[in-house]
Amino acid sequence: MSALREQFRQHMRLRGLADRTQYSYEHAMVQLATAYGMSPDKMTNEQIQMYLDRLIRERHMSWNTVNVYFSACRCFYVSMLQRTGTEFSLPPRGRSHHKPVVLSRDAVRRILAALQNL
């Protein structure tokens, strides 16, 4: 195990992150390092941003999954390495275009009238 990975694990433990979160963040950083074939502490903001974009466009990952990868990067670069000028972002989550069904007053009256025990 590399010293950097152990440092990241220790950092997450000291921050009190849940075991599953620690596992997910470590997995995300390993995937990032594997994608570029280099240590994550040597990567540029542009490489990180391109990787996050690739997760969305090419791998079609859900927004929640990409958010885990983004949070892992933020924890690693901003919190642990305290890298200044870290500028990678995640686009806002897409919202559903479905509007909720609103019942008419008459439909509500019929439902209430059908109840036998209020």
Side-chain angles (χ1 to χ4, degrees):
M1 175 185 333
S2 73
L4 187 62
R5 181 183 271 189
E6 183 53 40
Q7 182 184 357
F8 188 44
R9 284 181 174 176
Q10 181 183 25
H11 175 76
M12 291 188 292
R13 278 193 307 269
L14 292 174
R15 287 190 64 204
L17 297 180
D19 290 342
R20 181 67 187 157
T21 302
Q22 291 179 39
Y23 174 82
S24 296
Y25 282 13
E26 184 177 346
H27 174 76
M29 295 309 296
V30 167
Q31 292 296 308
L32 175 64
T34 302
Y36 284 103
M38 62 190 297
S39 178
D41 62 333
K42 308 267 189 271
M43 292 183 195
T44 65
N45 288 330
E46 292 78 24
Q47 288 173 312
I48 299 162
Q49 186 66 54
M50 285 182 358
Y51 180 70
L52 293 171
D53 185 52
R54 191 177 323 138
L55 295 177
I56 296 168
R57 285 185 307 103
E58 295 174 14
R59 295 187 57 194
H60 306 288
M61 289 185 165
S62 71
W63 189 91
N64 288 336
T65 303
V66 176
N67 190 43
V68 170
Y69 280 72
F70 172 77
S71 297
C73 290
R74 189 176 59 211
C75 180
F76 182 82
Y77 291 104
V78 177
S79 182
M80 187 185 88
L81 293 183
Q82 297 181 351
R83 187 188 280 185
T84 57
T86 303
E87 295 179 13
F88 47 85
S89 62
L90 187 61
R93 181 178 189 170
R95 298 290 178 212
S96 173
H97 297 290
H98 298 282
K99 300 218 179 209
V101 175
V102 179
L103 298 175
S104 68
R105 289 178 187 244
D106 186 51
V108 173
R109 282 188 193 108
R110 283 184 295 172
I111 290 172
L112 293 175
L115 293 175
Q116 297 192 13
N117 183 0
L118 294 175

